[in-house]
Amino acid sequence: RLDYGDRRRADRRLLTYDSLALTADLEVTGHPIVTLYVSSTATDGNFFAYLEDIAPDGRVAYVTEGELRASDRKLGDPGSSGLPALGFLPYHSFLSRDRAVLTPGAVASLVFDLLPTSYLFKRGHLIRLALAGADRDHFAWFGGDPPRLRFYHSADYPSRIDLPVIPHG
């Protein structure tokens, strides 16, 4: 596991969602899947999700991450591409024929997996999902003025993260 140090400061610039304190240890093993409902003032954009662990003392530790360019959001069938099917993961072809630009102001659904992990969140810790529209340290900006993004989380637009939890016990 990479150690990016305490991410509290970095997270001040991000949109974050925290769980309640865990009442028992929780093992997450596999690919977390993120579903985001978003709108933008631009026709494309990059969306980043970071899964993090918040210790009782407030320290924030990186667990894993994922990213999707909005125009590559179309979900498809990996079998049609000749690739082996991994039915538990959202499949994006990244082919130009499947590109779909955003309509500025309209809500779009983005579904993507985070890098696989095996991590034990300890009792008393919180789980954090941190969201961003850029990662200047690792990905080049593809031009234009930064867009205004809106993330939705309601009954109509149920943004969420699905964690592959390993039951114990």
Side-chain angles (χ1 to χ4, degrees), residues 5-6 11 17 31 46 52 94 100 105 128-129 140 143 149 158 165 168-169:
D6 189 345
D11 281 359
Y17 295 95
H31 291 262
N46 289 325
E52 299 171 333
F94 301 102
R128 172 173 282 173
L129 179 64
L149 304 176
V165 173
H168 292 279

Side-chain angles (χ1 to χ4, degrees), residues 35 73 125:
T35 301
R73 71 187 178 280
H125 288 226

Side-chain angles (χ1 to χ4, degrees), residues 1 26-30 51-54 61-63 117-122 125:
R1 181 173 76 89
L26 182 77
E27 180 183 341
V28 172
T29 297
L51 182 63
E52 299 171 333
D53 178 355
I54 305 173
Y62 167 93
V63 176
T117 190
S118 186
Y119 188 86
L120 184 65
F121 290 91
K122 295 289 200 171
H125 288 226

Side-chain angles (χ1 to χ4, degrees), residues 88-153:
F88 61 91
L89 293 178
Y91 173 75
H92 306 277
S93 75
F94 301 102
L95 297 172
S96 58
R97 71 171 182 247
D98 290 333
R99 292 188 73 91
V101 298
L102 295 171
T103 301
V107 178
S109 173
L110 307 175
V111 181
F112 57 100
D113 62 304
L114 306 187
L115 295 170
T117 190
S118 186
Y119 188 86
L120 184 65
F121 290 91
K122 295 289 200 171
R123 180 179 174 266
H125 288 226
L126 287 72
I127 298 172
R128 172 173 282 173
L129 179 64
L131 303 172
D135 184 339
R136 69 178 177 185
D137 294 333
H138 300 98
F139 291 88
W141 183 252
F142 55 84
D145 292 329
R148 293 185 59 96
L149 304 176
R150 182 170 178 196
F151 293 84
Y152 296 80
H153 49 91

